[in-house]
């Protein structure tokens, strides 16, 4: 059974004007040792400190899963929602409180299985949200069940003979949605790339979908092992409009200049399986943003009453 919890921040409006990364963490993360969620949390804290976001001006929304514990650990408003529904809650919040920075944290099961309908439609609606999809290729919280991104043939407690179907690719799926405006991939074991990607995603106007490949030493310890050990198996997509992190030049020899505005090349790169690719696949800020289209000008209480009375008068007999 899913639980709903609302966490309220404990920061006063008059808190110190300059916050360090550690000021954005409320308590120690309860994940297994070596879990990639720790790295994601660290990158998020660095981003919040760099942007000096006020805890009372932002919200973290999650669904259910290991990574969905995020709102409990970030010093901000938080909503630990129900399974697969983080995007609906976040979209509603952004529509009613457009001045807030809204972040969404989901796992692969949460986003691409039970929440798949919301994922596709939120991508198309393109609300101004920063969306982190932590993909460990398994349902970890429920102890090793096959998720849509589990590699074909991989054994779990739900498919002991191996996953029957090819894995769903979240990049290809998101890039196939009309009005998708930002799609990126990064990995928890490349912290400089993860941090740089989050900065670009946060700066983007629209629905920034970031797939973070996340190590789960408990249940899928081997799936990213080759890439963690050997950087030559990874190609970085670099561009001034995307991520081009100088500190990674020595470590990652395979680099490809990719203009994130090129949707055809983005789709083609997402389909290739010869190497793992990290970077911004697609980015275009010219697409309609739902919270801007639906923005309502504030009206006074008197005006609201006047409009209501006018509406009621239509039915007067
Ligand atoms: Fe992290 Fe996996 Fe442990 Fe969940 S089960 S906390 S994803 S290592």
């Amino acid at each position: 059974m899913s639980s709903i919890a609302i966490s309220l921040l404990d920061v006063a409006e008059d808190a110190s004007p300059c916050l360090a990364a550690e000021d954005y963490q409320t308590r120690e993360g309860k994940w297994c040792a070596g879990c990639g969620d720790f790295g994601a949390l660290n990158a998020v804290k660095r981003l919040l400190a760099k942007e000096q976001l006020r805890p009372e001006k932002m919200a973290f929304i999650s669904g259910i899963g290991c990574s969905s514990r995020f709102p409990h650990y970030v010093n901000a408003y938080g909503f630990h929602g129900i399974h697969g529904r983080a995007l609906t809650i976040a979209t509603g919040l952004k529509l009613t409180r457009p001045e807030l920075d809204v972040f969404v944290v989901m796992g692969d099961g949460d986003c691409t299985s039970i929440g798949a309908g919301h994922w596709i439609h939120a991508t198309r609606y393109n609300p101004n949200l920063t969306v982190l999809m932590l993909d460990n290729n398994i349902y970890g919280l429920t102890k090793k069940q096959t998720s849509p991104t589990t590699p074909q043939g991989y054994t779990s407690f739900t498919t002991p003979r191996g996953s029957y179907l090819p894995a769903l690719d979240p990049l290809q799926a998101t890039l196939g949605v009309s009005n998708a405006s930002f799609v990126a991939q990064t990995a928890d074991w490349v912290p400089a790339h993860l941090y740089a990607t989050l900065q670009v995603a946060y700066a983007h106007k629209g629905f920034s979908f970031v797939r973070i490949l996340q190590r789960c030493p408990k249940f899928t310890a081997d799936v990213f092992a080759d890439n963690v050990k050997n950087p030559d198996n990874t190609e970085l997509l670099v561009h001034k409009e995307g991520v081009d992190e100088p500190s990674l030049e020595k470590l990652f020899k395979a680099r490809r200049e990719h203009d994130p505005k090129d949707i055809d090349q983005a789709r083609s790169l997402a389909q290739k399986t010869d190497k793992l690719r990290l970077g911004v696949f697609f980015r275009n800020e010219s697409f309609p943003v739902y919270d801007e289209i639906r923005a309502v000008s504030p009206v006074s209480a008197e005006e609201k009453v006047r409009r209501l009375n006018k509406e009621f008068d239509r039915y007067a007999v």
Side-chain angles (χ1 to χ4, degrees):
M1 194 168 114
S2 301
S3 64
I4 298 179
I6 298 176
S7 64
L8 294 179
L9 62 163
D10 55 3
V11 168
E13 289 272 354
D14 61 351
S16 163
C18 188
L19 296 172
E22 291 315 313
D23 295 326
Y24 289 96
Q25 184 159 359
T26 52
R27 68 201 75 167
E28 201 178 331
K30 286 195 175 164
W31 292 301
C32 309
C35 177
D37 289 345
F38 286 108
L41 181 59
N42 280 338
V44 165
K45 283 159 42 188
R46 287 178 69 195
L47 172 75
L48 303 181
K50 176 181 180 288
E51 300 292 339
Q52 281 298 295
L53 299 188
R54 303 303 310 168
E56 68 275 13
K57 300 285 185 197
M58 61 178 170
F60 277 74
I61 315 294
S62 69
I64 294 295
C66 294
S67 56
S68 287
R69 292 182 179 135
F70 243 76
H72 298 276
Y73 307 142
V74 181
N75 195 9
Y77 283 105
F79 198 117
H80 188 177
I82 53 175
H83 210 347
R85 315 299 173 212
L87 287 169
T88 61
I89 298 161
T91 304
L93 178 61
K94 189 65 189 173
L95 284 172
T96 49
R97 295 290 304 275
E99 77 280 12
L100 297 180
D101 280 308
V102 181
F103 295 82
V104 180
V105 184
M106 300 177 289
D108 44 295
D110 202 38
C111 174
T112 69
S113 183
I114 191 167
H118 301 308
W119 164 42
I120 300 300
H121 290 289
T123 302
R124 175 172 163 257
Y125 276 47
N126 195 28
N128 202 357
L129 305 173
T130 306
V131 179
L132 315 183
M133 200 277 269
L134 288 131
D135 193 346
N136 58 3
N137 290 193
I138 204 81
Y139 285 94
L141 191 70
T142 45
K143 309 286 178 267
K144 201 176 185 183
Q145 297 170 316
T146 294
S147 93
T149 63
T150 303
Q152 189 172 23
Y154 202 83
T155 55
S156 78
F157 293 121
T158 47
T159 51
R161 295 182 193 140
S163 176
Y164 299 112
L165 301 172
L168 183 152
D169 183 333
L171 299 180
Q172 289 184 54
T174 314
L175 286 165
V177 177
S178 55
N179 212 39
S181 72
F182 185 102
V183 180
Q185 176 158 271
T186 184
D188 81 76
W189 61 90
V190 195
H193 193 271
L194 172 55
Y195 175 53
T197 307
L198 293 189
Q199 290 179 66
V200 188
Y202 173 73
H204 176 76
K205 181 170 71 84
F207 188 86
S208 314
F209 180 80
V210 183
R211 182 194 192 195
I212 302 174
L213 302 173
Q214 178 236 314
R215 286 169 297 177
C216 171
K218 186 86 177 164
F219 297 124
T220 50
D222 47 343
V223 292
F224 303 124
D226 285 347
N227 291 95
V228 174
K229 272 190 223 138
N230 186 1
D232 292 344
N233 293 343
T234 299
E235 181 178 74
L236 298 188
L237 306 181
V238 296
H239 196 271
K240 61 180 181 345
E241 297 295 321
V243 171
D244 192 1
E245 173 54 45
S247 67
L248 297 173
E249 274 175 26
K250 279 196 183 139
L251 190 58
F252 292 92
K253 303 283 182 296
R255 301 163 68 82
R256 179 194 292 256
E257 186 78 9
H258 166 61
D259 181 353
K261 277 215 165 55
D262 187 341
I263 184 69
D264 292 332
Q265 194 181 22
R267 286 174 176 153
S268 161
L269 288 170
Q271 278 179 351
K272 286 180 185 288
T273 53
D274 55 324
K275 275 183 188 296
L276 178 68
R277 290 190 168 79
L278 305 181
V280 178
F281 283 70
F282 184 64
R283 179 183 187 187
N284 192 325
E285 291 198 340
S286 69
F287 295 161
V289 172
Y290 196 67
D291 39 301
E292 289 185 356
I293 300 167
R294 295 294 307 274
V296 211
S297 325
V299 287
S300 65
E302 292 76 19
E303 176 59 15
K304 280 183 190 163
V305 171
R306 191 193 69 74
R307 288 182 191 179
L308 265 177
N309 281 331
K310 189 178 167 198
E311 197 60 22
F312 290 148
D313 286 348
R314 289 176 57 212
Y315 303 98
V317 288

